[in-house]
Amino acid sequence: MIKLTNVSFTYTGGREDAGVRNINLTIRPGEVVLVCGESGCGKTTLTRMVNGLIPHFYEGELTGTIYVGAKDVAKSELYDLARTVGSVFQNPRSQFFNVDTTSELAFGCENLGIAEDEILTRVRKTVADLSISHLLDRSIFELSDGEKQKIACGSVSVLGPDIYVLDEPTSNLDFETIAALRRVLSFWKATGKTILVAEHRLHFMKGIADRVIFMREGEIRETHEGAEFFALPPRYFEERGLRIPSLDRLPAAETAEADLPSDPIRIEKMRVSLRGEPILNIPALEIPSGGIIAVIGANGAGKTTFARSLCGLVSGDRSVVTFRGRALNAKKRLSVCYLVMQDVNHQLFTESVLDEVLLSMSVEDETRADETLLSLDLSAFREDHPMALSGGQKQRVAIASALVSEREILVFDEPTSGLDLVHMRETARNIAALKRNGVTSFVVTHDPEFILACCTHVIRIEAGEISGNYPLDSSGVKNLTAFFRHDESMAERT
Amino acid sequence: MRSDFFASSKGSAQKIFDPRTKLLMVVTISTVVMADSGGGWMSVLCWILTFVPLALFLIERKWKAALIYFCVYWGATLMQLYLLPLTTGVVNFLLVAMSFFSVRFMPGIAMASYLVNTTTVSEFMGAMERMRVPQSLSIPLSVVFRFFPTVSEEYTAIGDAMRMRGIRFGGRKPAKMIEYRLVPLLVSCVKIGDELSAAALTRGLGAPIRRTNVCEIGIKPQDVFTMAVCAAMILLFIFEKI
Amino acid sequence: MKNERMNAKDLMTVGLFTAIIFILSMAAGMLGFIPILIPFLTVIVPLLCGIPFMLFLTKTKKFGMITIMGTLCGFLLGIMGMGVYWVTATGIIAGFCADLIFRSGNYASAKKGVLSHAVFSQWAFGSMIPIVVTRDAYFAKLINGGYGEEYANALMRYVPDWSLIPILVAGFIAGIVGALIGKAVLKKHFVRAGIA
């Protein structure tokens, strides 16, 4: 179904995503193949060569031949390939052409000029197959990331291609939606479709993937049978920088029992509504200060709103946060708390890392800026453009500017989405280092491996309300793993 | 740009008119009202026309838009009648210019805002296809409409980041403010734009065939009636000019 | 390369940058609610839009992209109520001329890029035409409506016949300055950030 022969590709101008070398790969009809490997190993490039974005969208030098079905990818137009290959991408926010879900589901078919009645029939069948009928006729701006990703799957499914290509589809998803995605994949597999998935998260592919390919430095290094791969010992994954293959294998927490000062952070009257509908309601909440607090919950539960309110970014917010003896209203929190955004690009303004740090100081002090850069391992990039850095480095620049402006509470919004093991640990180390400086961190996350790597406390938000608040001691760890597994098994059953 | 720009949700737009009708209404109102030279029954017609956007806002339950339009337009009209004769000098200068622009342009702007607020990207594409607009115009135009809310989302996020950093207009370096806002905005938008293009192209956008469209657009009796009225207005307008 | 037809990717690039340039123009246009500033818009908008425009030019390698952008900007401003045909016409003309200029530099010349922006900046010129053209009609209306000769005369004084010419010239100069700013920002940020 898919056949790559001696394929190599390099991006024009050496873009950050690496190319691939000497790829030989044949995928049989109906086979499900999982591609894994560290960031930059070439797995995304591989998916782009199958859906035709290489060479038709991303420019570069391509050698070798790629066949998808009977079509030579290099010689076919993208709209021709669209009938054969359907693609789902990483970022649910940027793959919608329309602003309402029904038009989006119909979009692909409309482009290919399929008759209106036929499209409507197909849309109805697809929403039934993927159990997403409740999402019809909605504005995409009201959907959670999880719901958007379901629509993205639906919109390719409507076209009925023989091949599905998914590039890191779970990066922004909670466990329930990941389980839903798993059901979608199983459904496609059961209907005989060929599926290629490039992913960091592996556990949801267990039992679905027929074959697993491990890539490194743009080459295919290993190929395993699916069942055999998921049974490999923990050391195997560790050595290759891969995420855990199963939630049963969550590592035990390394953090000792919490040794935190007794004076807690108190949050009161945190109520936020959007268009008259309450999306967050926390009458009172006490959390130990000085730790790293994981904020967990489903997509759309109100976690990001919680983070924004905590940082004083919600207008008309009447909540009060009492911290180290001071009662802080929203306006005061603007200068005490700092949000490290999911898209760090939004908060990098200047032309060099040093300027970025200086900008945050009330009085510019280059010596202190340099000390901060040194402590965050950024000295080497002092003169570099912040936007040219890697994701983890950008995060550290944002942390540096928070530190020099003497923030005491840092809030991270999904800092590890789409990160491989090495980079996830880098982020965990960055945040753990803050704790030693006496900074309290809140981390909104869907990533149990990350929570167990550095967090000390967990709060759980469900439908805008706090439904869990516990320290991450040994019973807390049990609680947490139970949450993620329960979430998974619950979703599995529905 | 408001965030509900071009967003559609259940029931928010009742689809009274076809997008083509709305477009013709915008053209008619902005042409005829703007060139109204006063006197005679043409003026009366223009006066009636200025109520059209107001009525449409009320029908669509866009209370806020209706209120703003009502206040600005009739406020300026009243100002012309009662305040202008009382003022002289600089105040007069300002008031003349303000009422001039409010009275001339507001009806057209209000009508245009009605058009964009009650039409989805998909309906607009459908309408353009039926008008045989070539893809080289219809594709970029629909991307423009798709991007309005995205740019405003990104702009808000960057605004948040600036507030946290205590960077605001009137601060230390005013020229830098524009740079600090524009650079991250452009970087984010270009990135999102690239991803959006890739996603749309893998779903067949740009195929050299006539697109189909599942939106329920089409000329209904009220469209025929409105289009006829618009055409009559424009003919009258031309006739009067000659 | 340059003789190739535009593909869907190019069209989407045009759409993206049209959205950005149009929104920036509108944002600056909010200043127009203080009517005294309206003539200054022709200066402020090109100064601001030079930045996205120069970034857009790094992605422009085919004829027609700038023309479409000008057309759409004009059309959009037109349906916003600013005199549809005038502003669509100036949009098409400005875009087409800017396109010709940039093509004459093989889509690579920095100088031609700057000039191209100065010409492109005139796309919104059409929105100024009806102010002058309909002024007489408005004048008549004022007298007919009994607002008094004094008010009408004041208006005529503030919008003299020749007022379009300095607007055109100022816009052109602002276009050049805006493009130079854009070029500097391009070098300072976008090239180093890897998106140009």
Side-chain angles (χ1 to χ4, degrees), chain B residues 25-232:
Chain B
M25 285 160 89
V26 174
V27 173
T28 310
I29 289 191
S30 58
T31 311
V32 176
V33 174
M34 203 154 62
D36 170 29
S37 54
W41 46 276
M42 194 68 192
S43 251
V44 180
L45 272 182
C46 284
W47 186 71
I48 294 170
L49 269 188
T50 57
F51 285 97
V52 171
L54 184 68
L56 288 171
F57 282 140
L58 292 176
I59 292 170
E60 298 279 359
R61 296 161 192 277
K62 307 261 179 208
W63 309 123
K64 208 174 139 193
L67 188 71
I68 293 174
Y69 175 58
F70 181 81
C71 290
V72 173
Y73 184 78
W74 277 275
T77 310
L78 287 177
M79 194 161 77
Q80 271 185 353
L81 277 178
Y82 298 108
L83 217 53
L84 281 181
L86 303 178
T87 55
T88 47
V90 180
V91 181
N92 184 259
F93 172 88
L94 278 176
L95 290 183
V96 166
M98 262 162 102
S99 47
F100 175 63
F101 284 105
S102 304
V103 172
R104 299 257 113 172
F105 291 110
M106 267 319 269
I109 293 175
M111 201 55 225
S113 125
Y114 171 79
L115 165 72
V116 290
N117 273 305
T118 56
T119 314
T120 67
V121 172
S122 183
E123 284 164 3
F124 208 90
M125 281 194 90
M128 284 192 287
E129 274 136 26
R130 301 222 183 151
M131 289 189 285
R132 302 278 193 272
V133 174
Q135 277 200 343
S136 55
L137 287 176
S138 67
I139 291 177
L141 193 54
S142 49
V143 175
V144 170
F145 289 139
R146 167 66 181 80
F147 248 85
F148 282 152
T150 301
V151 173
S152 107
E153 260 185 354
E154 297 300 301
Y155 187 80
T156 314
I158 292 162
D160 278 354
M162 293 182 80
R163 271 199 294 158
M164 276 192 300
R165 295 275 285 268
I167 309 172
R168 51 182 80 84
F169 282 98
R172 270 181 284 175
K173 297 160 186 161
K176 290 256 169 194
M177 290 306 103
I178 293 171
E179 183 183 328
Y180 292 163
R181 264 196 193 267
L182 269 188
V183 170
L185 185 71
L186 285 173
V187 172
S188 297
C189 286
V190 168
K191 235 185 93 210
I192 293 178
D194 267 350
E195 288 171 5
L196 187 77
S197 305
L201 293 174
T202 58
R203 282 188 284 143
L205 186 70
I209 45 171
R210 184 131 186 262
R211 278 187 95 243
T212 46
N213 193 294
V214 296
C215 285
E216 291 164 12
I217 56 169
I219 306 295
K220 294 184 287 277
Q222 63 264 43
D223 291 298
V224 176
F225 175 74
T226 315
M227 283 180 170
V229 172
C230 288

Side-chain angles (χ1 to χ4, degrees), chain A residues 218-409:
Chain A
E219 291 176 354
I220 295 179
R221 291 288 171 86
E222 294 169 27
T223 304
H224 299 269
E225 285 302 310
E228 172 209 345
F229 176 81
F230 285 98
L232 288 164
R235 197 167 39 88
Y236 173 86
F237 296 92
E238 183 73 35
E239 281 167 4
R240 284 161 185 75
L242 298 177
R243 293 298 198 98
I244 44 164
S246 157
L247 286 184
D248 299 328
R249 298 225 208 141
L250 277 175
E254 289 157 25
T255 34
E257 306 286 293
D259 51 340
L260 299 169
S262 53
D263 123 70
I265 302 176
R266 212 165 52 242
I267 297 173
E268 283 162 302
K269 290 183 236 154
M270 192 178 266
R271 292 193 186 91
V272 182
S273 310
L274 189 68
R275 294 186 200 104
E277 304 217 354
I279 46 172
L280 189 65
N281 180 17
I282 303 174
L285 174 68
E286 277 197 9
I287 314 155
S289 66
I292 301 171
I293 298 120
V295 182
I296 60 174
N299 284 133
K303 300 186 303 297
T304 297
T305 310
F306 173 78
R308 293 188 66 239
S309 169
L310 197 60
C311 293
L313 290 171
V314 176
S315 57
D317 189 348
R318 300 245 180 79
S319 60
V320 177
V321 175
T322 313
F323 176 64
R324 292 184 179 150
R326 289 164 297 165
L328 305 167
N329 63 17
K331 197 175 168 215
K332 285 188 187 138
R333 291 205 296 277
L334 265 178
S335 55
V336 174
C337 307
Y338 194 84
L339 179 66
V340 178
M341 297 172 160
Q342 190 176 4
D343 188 348
V344 191
N345 285 330
H346 288 147
Q347 48 199 153
L348 303 172
F349 303 121
T350 62
E351 61 191 293
S352 78
V353 170
L354 180 68
D355 283 346
E356 198 64 36
V357 176
L358 290 177
L359 180 70
S360 287
M361 295 176 148
S362 39
V363 182
E364 292 193 2
D365 175 354
E366 221 175 299
T367 333
R368 210 173 122 241
D370 275 329
E371 281 166 19
T372 312
L373 289 182
L374 184 69
S375 74
L376 284 165
D377 214 6
L378 284 170
S379 298
F381 308 104
R382 195 172 180 269
E383 302 299 332
D384 286 14
H385 197 287
M387 302 260 192
L389 302 179
S390 76
Q393 290 160 348
K394 283 180 192 170
Q395 245 167 32
R396 291 211 295 275
V397 175
I399 293 174
S401 54
L403 286 180
V404 294
S405 55
E406 277 146 12
R407 307 299 169 113
E408 293 159 274
I409 298 176

